[in-house]
């Protein structure tokens, strides 16, 4: 089977985990989230208030408020790992190549 660029997901989130400091140990806010969105697809994420929707996608775009941090995972946009980019490189992609649209 031959894989073309069009067949690969445009966005892949793999094992994304975000933590905040806790009194005795880090508090896990987003735990092991994985998803894939192919070109032409639309993703809608729904859930109760406080279920982690916003923090999941803030994590994916490098927007976790201090003192939180992404502890592990990959966010691939057209095969480029956003977690490996510098802050300036990631900032340049936000809005131009990827964005979050809230309700």
């Amino acid at each position: 089977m031959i894989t073309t660029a069009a067949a690969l997901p445009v966005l892949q989130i793999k094992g994304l985990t975000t933590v905040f400091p806790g009194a005795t140990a880090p508090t896990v806010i987003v735990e092991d989230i994985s998803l894939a969105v192919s070109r032409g697809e639309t993703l809608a994420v729904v859930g109760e208030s406080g279920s982690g929707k916003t923090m999941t996608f803030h994590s994916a775009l490098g927007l976790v408020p201090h003192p939180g941090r992404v502890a592990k995972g990959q966010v691939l946009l057209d095969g480029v790992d956003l977690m490996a980019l510098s802050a300036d490189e990631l900032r340049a992609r936000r809005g131009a190549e990827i964005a979050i649209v809230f309700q």
Side-chain angles (χ1 to χ4, degrees), residues 13 16-20 28-35 43 45-61 64-65 100 102:
I13 297 177
L16 190 65
T17 298
T18 301
V19 298
F20 278 77
V28 178
I29 302 298
V30 173
E31 185 172 19
D32 197 28
I33 299 293
S34 296
L35 60 87
L43 173 67
V45 178
V46 297
E48 293 184 23
S49 179
S51 64
K53 303 175 301 291
T54 297
M55 190 55 66
T56 295
F57 292 97
H58 277 186
S59 299
L61 293 180
V64 177
I100 305 171
F102 292 104

Side-chain angles (χ1 to χ4, degrees), residues 4 7 21 63 70 86 92 99:
T4 65
L63 297 171
V70 174
S86 71

